[in-house]
């Protein structure tokens, strides 16, 4: 930047200040020579005006009007050339320039005006070369930073240093991932609201807006039409062409770095997906062997099963991206428009809080990820998917916390199925269908009623299900209908859900309506 003060220092006595008004520290737009009493039609503002004073009347009133006019037009200063008209600077000119706030300089004889103009252009060219060298240097630093072991953080640091402000990398939700200087994190966090607005507008939308005394620019980081995050910069002065070019370069480098990192994430995710597929198929031993062979994170001892959908592959990847941004080490597997997640114990509430749009979700209780429980995992998955198919969009069924009788019934029936003993499921279903009638349930199952009693006791003991509680039985029956429908079992609805209590000998007393509403198969 070439200023009037800098030009004066460069010329020394050939352009010396004689007034008391100092030049403003602002760019000098040019050096213009004019003897007109009103040179404004030929001036754009920001110039140094050179004159010999040939047409100026050295009286206070006209000189004051002249100086005021120049200041009002935005001139940086006035320089009087001595020799042709004046041999020294008239005191009245000094006085009116001081009063008007116009810097006054003198060009002594025999210094030509051309020398002043030539020096101005030399300084301007030198400043341009310096800006170019600085810009090229910053560009080289950005490219070098992109090859760092942590390219995103390195590019952000170089960009912040070049901007004389701060720079930040934000994830698609507007959360700050990296910021430099680190003390600017609170300021960068305030950009989150604007980032969320940009995300709603589309992946290619940029914005600029004021933030306190800073000017903030936000650019999206997108590759192949998919939003990967944002880069935000804050400057104390409006963006210069050099800084705008640096921001464009940094945005391209960051988008590439984030995409490359995401490619590595997808590769690692595909490995974890293979492990999850084995677990959900009940092949727990093979899953543990694959984890060891690929040096993946150790599998948790127990996990919740979460099934959500319908959603495509890209939407599933975005949901898994959200899990990783929230540091949720889930094991996900996508197939047939369903995303199946094994969520570590203690992380279920955070997964349930993720934005799922119009998708349904079913979450089960804890499942032990052991070889002995392999069949239970696969069975629970089938049951959870049947529940998901029966609920509406935007419905979230948390079987671990829901107090609803049907949800409790779903949880209990999944627990019963997870035992892997079909005869216990059949016994419970017959017992519920015949509303506690041992004889009719045993007849349907073609077994002795003592055998049925033994099986019902096993159901209650091993699955923790109270078949004698009317509320529990009602929810369990509805869940059994729902979960058994897709398995091809033809279930006859009940006329009522009330179950009689047994006497001291363990025999059952039938309700009056039991005889008329049901008959043995």
């Amino acid at each position: 930047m070439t200023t009037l003060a800098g030009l004066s220092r460069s010329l020394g006595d050939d352009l010396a200040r004689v007034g008391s008004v100092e030049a403003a520290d602002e760019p000098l737009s040019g050096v213009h020579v004019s003897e007109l009493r009103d040179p404004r039609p030929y001036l754009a503002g920001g110039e140094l005006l050179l004159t010999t004073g040939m047409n100026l009347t050295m009286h206070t009133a006209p000189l004051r009007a002249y100086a005021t006019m120049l200041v009002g037009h935005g001139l940086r200063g006035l320089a009087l050339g001595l020799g042709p008209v004046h041999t020294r600077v008239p005191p009245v000119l000094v006085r009116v320039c001081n009063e008007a706030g116009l810097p006054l300089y003198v060009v002594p004889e025999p210094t030509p005006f051309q020398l002043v103009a030539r020096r101005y252009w030399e300084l301007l060219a030198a400043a341009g070369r310096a800006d170019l060298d600085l810009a090229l240097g910053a560009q080289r630093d950005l490219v070098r930073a992109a090859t760092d072991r942590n390219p995103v953080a390195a590019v952000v640091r170089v960009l912040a240093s070049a901007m004389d402000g701060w720079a930040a990398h934000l994830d698609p939700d507007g959360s700050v991932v990296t910021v430099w200087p680190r003390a600017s994190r609170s300021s960068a966090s305030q950009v989150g609201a604007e980032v969320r607005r940009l995300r709603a507008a589309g992946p290619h939308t940029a914005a600029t807006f004021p933030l306190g005394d800073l000017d903030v620019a936000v650019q999206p980081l997108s590759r192949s039409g998919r939003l990967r995050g944002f880069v935000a910069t804050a400057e104390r002065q409006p963006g210069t062409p050099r800084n705008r070019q640096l921001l464009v370069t940094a945005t391209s480098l960051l988008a590439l770095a984030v995409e490359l990192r995401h490619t590595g994430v997808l590769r690692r995710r595909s490995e974890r997906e293979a492990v999850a597929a084995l677990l959900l198929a009940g092949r727990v031993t093979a899953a543990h062997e694959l984890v060891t062979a690929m040096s993946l994170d150790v599998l948790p001892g127990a996990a919740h099963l979460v099934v959500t959908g319908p959603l495509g592959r890209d939407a599933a990847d975005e949901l898994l991206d959200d899990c990783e941004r929230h540091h949720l080490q889930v094991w996900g597997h996508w197939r047939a428009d369903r995303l199946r997640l094994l969520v570590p114990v203690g992380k279920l509430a955070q997964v349930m809080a993720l934005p799922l749009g119009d998708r349904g979700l079913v979450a089960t209780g804890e499942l032990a990820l052991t070889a002995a429980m392999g069949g239970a995992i696969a069975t629970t998955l089938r049951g959870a998917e049947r529940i998901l198919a029966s609920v509406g969009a935007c419905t979230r069924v948390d079987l671990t916390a829901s107090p609803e009788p049907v949800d409790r019934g779903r949880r209990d029936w999944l627990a019963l199925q997870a035992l892997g003993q079909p005869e216990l499921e059949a016994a419970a279903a017959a017992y519920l269908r015949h509303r506690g009638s041992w004889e009719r349930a045993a007849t349907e199952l073609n077994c002795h009623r003592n055998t049925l009693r033994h099986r019902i006791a096993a159901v209650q003991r091993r699955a923790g299900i109270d078949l004698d509680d009317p509320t529990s039985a009602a929810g369990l029956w509805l869940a059994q209908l729902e979960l058994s429908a897709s398995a091809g079992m033809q279930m006859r609805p009940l006329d009522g859900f009330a179950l009689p209590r047994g006497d001291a000998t363990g025999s059952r007393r039938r309700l009056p309506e039991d005889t008329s509403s049901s008959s043995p198969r």
Side-chain angles (χ1 to χ4, degrees):
M1 180 178 71
T2 303
T3 64
L4 179 53
L7 179 62
S8 177
R9 286 192 300 271
S10 175
L11 288 168
D13 292 340
D14 289 329
L15 185 65
R17 183 165 60 89
V18 294
S20 61
V21 180
E22 296 184 359
D25 189 21
E26 296 179 357
L28 190 63
S29 64
V31 175
H32 187 74
V33 180
S34 177
E35 301 296 345
L36 297 176
R37 293 182 179 180
D38 185 2
R40 288 178 297 178
Y42 305 98
L43 299 173
E47 299 94 344
L48 169 66
L49 179 62
L50 304 178
T51 181
T52 62
M54 180 183 302
N55 293 321
L56 296 181
T57 302
M58 292 301 159
H59 297 294
T60 302
L63 283 179
R64 182 178 291 118
Y66 180 76
T68 302
M69 175 187 63
L70 296 182
V71 171
H73 199 63
L75 264 69
R76 297 284 180 258
L78 175 67
L80 181 66
L82 301 182
V85 179
H86 301 280
T87 58
R88 63 186 183 88
V89 181
V92 65
L93 181 60
V94 177
R95 185 174 68 254
V96 297
C97 286
N98 290 342
E99 292 172 354
L102 179 66
L104 180 62
Y105 290 80
V106 62
V107 179
E109 189 180 11
T111 301
F113 284 169
Q114 186 179 9
L115 175 64
V116 178
R118 184 185 303 119
R119 183 60 55 85
Y120 165 74
W121 289 111
E122 290 173 353
L123 292 176
L124 192 64
R129 287 194 299 271
D131 286 343
L132 179 60
D133 291 342
L134 189 61
L136 291 176
Q139 297 277 0
R140 286 193 297 269
D141 291 341
L142 284 174
V143 174
R144 190 179 299 113
T147 63
D148 190 84
R149 293 182 60 184
N150 188 353
V152 174
V155 170
V156 167
R157 284 197 300 270
V158 172
L159 183 60
S161 300
M163 291 289 184
D164 188 26
W166 58 257
H169 167 225
L170 301 96
D171 67 17
D173 292 332
S175 300
V176 178
V177 180
T178 303
V179 62
W180 191 264
R182 294 190 180 95
S184 302
R185 179 171 289 272
S186 60
S187 296
S189 298
Q190 298 179 44
V191 182
E194 184 66 21
V195 163
R196 286 186 285 274
R197 186 188 69 79
L198 291 178
R199 183 172 184 177
H204 304 291
T205 305
T208 58
F209 52 91
L211 182 65
D213 60 346
L214 300 174
D215 289 308
V216 176
V218 179
Q219 291 283 342
L221 302 176
S222 58
R223 300 281 292 185
S224 302
R226 294 192 61 184
L227 183 65
R228 299 299 188 194
F230 295 88
V231 57
T233 60
E235 303 176 75
R236 302 194 183 280
Q237 298 293 333
T240 63
R242 165 185 166 271
N243 285 357
R244 286 194 294 270
Q245 185 59 47
L246 287 177
L247 180 57
V248 170
T249 302
T251 299
S252 300
L253 293 173
L254 283 173
L256 179 60
V258 171
E259 181 70 13
L260 290 175
R261 186 170 65 182
H262 190 71
T263 301
V265 169
L266 291 179
R267 178 183 60 80
R268 208 65 172 169
R269 185 179 295 168
S270 65
E271 296 171 351
R272 294 170 66 90
E273 188 169 4
V275 173
L278 290 174
L279 289 172
L280 295 172
R283 301 173 61 187
V284 180
T285 301
H288 280 277
E289 292 175 352
L290 186 59
V291 166
T292 302
M294 292 185 172
S295 301
L296 299 176
D297 297 335
V298 178
L299 286 170
H304 296 278
L305 173 63
V306 174
V307 182
T308 182
L311 74 171
R313 178 79 248 194
D314 287 346
D317 284 338
E318 290 180 3
L319 185 56
L320 291 172
D321 287 344
D322 287 339
C323 290
E324 290 172 3
R325 281 194 293 272
H326 291 85
H327 307 291
L328 302 175
Q329 297 298 320
V330 301
W331 297 75
H333 175 243
W334 179 87
R335 182 175 62 83
D337 293 335
R338 296 285 188 272
L339 179 61
R340 304 146 183 90
L341 302 174
L342 289 169
V343 181
V345 175
K347 301 293 186 180
L348 181 60
Q350 293 173 263
V351 171
M352 296 288 286
L354 294 176
L356 295 174
D358 57 355
R359 306 158 196 154
L361 180 146
V362 174
T364 73
E366 295 181 22
L367 294 171
L369 302 183
T370 62
M373 290 295 291
I377 297 171
T379 302
T380 303
L381 172 62
R382 290 194 294 271
E385 291 188 330
R386 291 167 191 161
I387 294 173
L388 182 64
S390 68
V391 300
C394 305
T395 302
R396 300 191 181 198
V397 180
D398 183 359
L399 299 180
T400 67
S402 175
E404 297 296 326
V406 174
D407 287 339
R408 289 167 52 194
R410 289 165 170 165
R411 178 179 64 242
D412 290 343
W413 198 264
L414 287 180
L416 178 57
Q417 287 185 321
L419 295 178
Q421 293 184 259
E423 68 276 10
L424 298 186
E425 295 181 50
Y431 186 77
L432 290 171
R433 180 163 46 254
H434 294 289
R435 292 171 291 142
S437 172
W438 296 106
E439 293 82 359
R440 302 169 105 165
T443 299
E444 176 187 329
L445 297 174
N446 194 25
C447 68
H448 194 275
R449 69 178 185 177
N450 287 339
T451 300
L452 178 61
R453 290 179 190 275
H454 175 74
R455 292 176 181 175
I456 294 301
V459 168
Q460 294 178 328
R461 182 180 67 256
R462 297 182 60 188
I465 301 174
D466 186 1
L467 295 177
D468 292 333
D469 177 67
T471 303
S472 175
L476 192 63
W477 176 254
L478 292 176
Q480 187 265 349
L481 288 175
E482 175 183 68
L483 294 170
S484 300
S486 61
M489 298 176 63
Q490 299 298 321
M491 309 307 300
R492 187 170 64 251
L494 289 175
D495 294 328
F497 290 105
L499 296 179
R501 297 293 181 182
D503 57 20
T505 65
S507 62
R508 309 295 294 186
R509 295 190 300 274
R510 296 180 182 175
L511 294 176
E513 69 271 20
D514 186 42
T515 302
S516 60
S517 62
S518 303
S519 60
R521 281 182 159 178

